[in-house]
Amino acid sequence: MIPLDLTAVDVTAKDSFPGVVVAGDPVLSTRTVWTSEDGLRSRGVFEATPGTFTWSFDWHEFFVVLSGRATVETAEGTFTLTPGTVGGFQPGDETRWTIEETFRKAFHEELVGRD
C-alpha cells in the first residue's frame, strides 16, 4: 500500500465539460490514481468548481466527499453533499448538480456493459 492524500493530489482540468452546463461556468478536473488490469474498475478524484450541470451515470460509483459543498438532485430526492458524506450512483442515474463551493470527491467506479 502507498498512502496518497486525495485532498491535496493534483487534478487535471478536462478540455470540455462532459455533462450539460445549466448555469455558471463549472470546470471539471479529475485524476485517476488506480485502474484494474481489465480496465473495468478505477479509483480517483473528481473536482468541480461552482455552477450547475446535469450528469448521467453509466457506471456504478461509490464516493466520499473530501471538500466543498454541492446539492445533487436525483429521482430519489435532493441531497446536500459536504465533507464526510458517502454515497453511490448506479448506471442510469440522471442527476443535476449545483456546486456551491469547489467540490472534491474520491471515487471508486465500476464500468458495466464492457467485454
Side-chain angles (χ1 to χ4, degrees):
M1 178 184 99
I2 299 173
L4 184 60
D5 181 357
L6 296 179
T7 63
V9 70
D10 289 332
V11 291
T12 303
K14 298 289 186 184
D15 291 333
S16 62
F17 199 87
V20 176
V21 175
V22 176
D25 190 23
V27 174
L28 172 66
S29 302
T30 62
R31 176 159 178 207
T32 300
V33 298
W34 175 84
T35 302
S36 63
E37 286 184 26
D38 61 8
L40 296 177
R41 292 174 301 285
S42 64
R43 296 178 186 140
V45 177
F46 166 101
E47 184 175 282
T49 61
T52 301
F53 56 89
T54 61
W55 190 278
S56 300
F57 284 83
D58 62 356
W59 59 87
H60 296 275
E61 179 180 288
F62 171 80
F63 68 87
V64 60
V65 178
L66 301 172
S67 62
R69 182 181 178 86
T71 301
V72 63
E73 299 171 47
T74 71
E76 287 104 15
T78 300
F79 306 94
T80 300
L81 306 179
T82 56
T85 302
V86 297
F89 297 102
Q90 301 299 318
D93 282 352
E94 300 289 333
T95 60
R96 178 181 170 108
W97 294 75
T98 300
I99 307 298
E100 297 155 19
E101 64 183 62
T102 298
F103 177 83
R104 182 177 277 221
K105 67 178 177 172
F107 65 82
H108 171 88
E109 63 184 23
E110 295 189 16
L111 301 175
V112 294
R114 281 191 167 170
D115 293 333

